[in-house]
Amino acid sequence: MLNRRNLLKISISAVGLIPGVTLAAGANKPSESNYVGTAQITGSLMNGTRTTGIMQVDATVYTVDPALKQRLLASQPLIQSKWRNALQYYIANYYMVGNVPDASLIAALFQRAISAEIGNSRGRVLIIAVIAR
């Protein structure tokens, strides 16, 4: 079904602005991507016992290994849970409200959180966006 959102996605992907999503020649759907398990992880910003805001991190895993892609898709709830724990660890130990979040440190914590699941060098965590409000 072609609605406004799908039309926008198709037009953006046609010019190559979305990484990993390109239209195959003559195809109606995007070609297979090496970015697997895109998720939005949310953590609470706290001031003592009171919630003062949230931090949202969009992350994905880049891999070219087809077997790992299937494993990542199958274990996506587990990966998201580990990423939530890693984000809360970052917020509790490293983040100061009002400062710019450190995306490199968040990516390293996310990578360490799932390295037991995917192996040390088979996939790389990529941070798409970090928003603290």
Side-chain angles (χ1 to χ4, degrees):
M1 177 177 200
L2 284 178
N3 56 24
R4 288 182 183 176
R5 178 171 279 172
N6 288 339
L7 221 68
L8 178 64
K9 286 180 185 177
I10 290 171
S11 63
I12 290 174
S13 64
V15 295
L17 295 179
I18 299 176
V21 178
T22 56
L23 291 179
N28 292 330
K29 62 181 183 174
S31 62
E32 185 177 339
S33 174
N34 290 329
Y35 299 94
V36 183
T38 302
Q40 184 178 75
I41 308 301
T42 304
S44 299
L45 301 176
M46 304 293 288
N47 182 6
T49 59
R50 197 176 120 227
T51 302
T52 58
I54 63 170
M55 183 178 294
Q56 293 175 315
V57 177
D58 293 336
T60 188
V61 178
Y62 176 82
T63 184
V64 293
D65 183 0
L68 181 58
K69 288 179 188 180
Q70 293 302 318
R71 224 167 110 206
L72 286 169
L73 290 172
S75 61
Q76 195 164 358
L78 176 66
I79 289 170
Q80 288 178 1
S81 174
K82 289 184 178 208
W83 282 353
R84 273 189 206 94
N85 290 339
L87 182 60
Q88 282 303 135
Y89 177 80
Y90 168 77
I91 291 170
N93 294 299
Y94 297 105
Y95 183 68
M96 294 187 65
V97 176
N99 290 347
V100 176
D102 186 354
S104 298
L105 181 55
I106 294 171
L109 290 171
F110 280 20
Q111 186 74 46
R112 186 173 69 190
I114 65 166
S115 64
E117 298 296 318
I118 67 171
N120 289 332
S121 63
R122 296 182 59 205
R124 181 179 170 112
V125 173
L126 301 173
I127 301 296
I128 299 167
V130 180
I131 301 172
R133 50 186 168 126

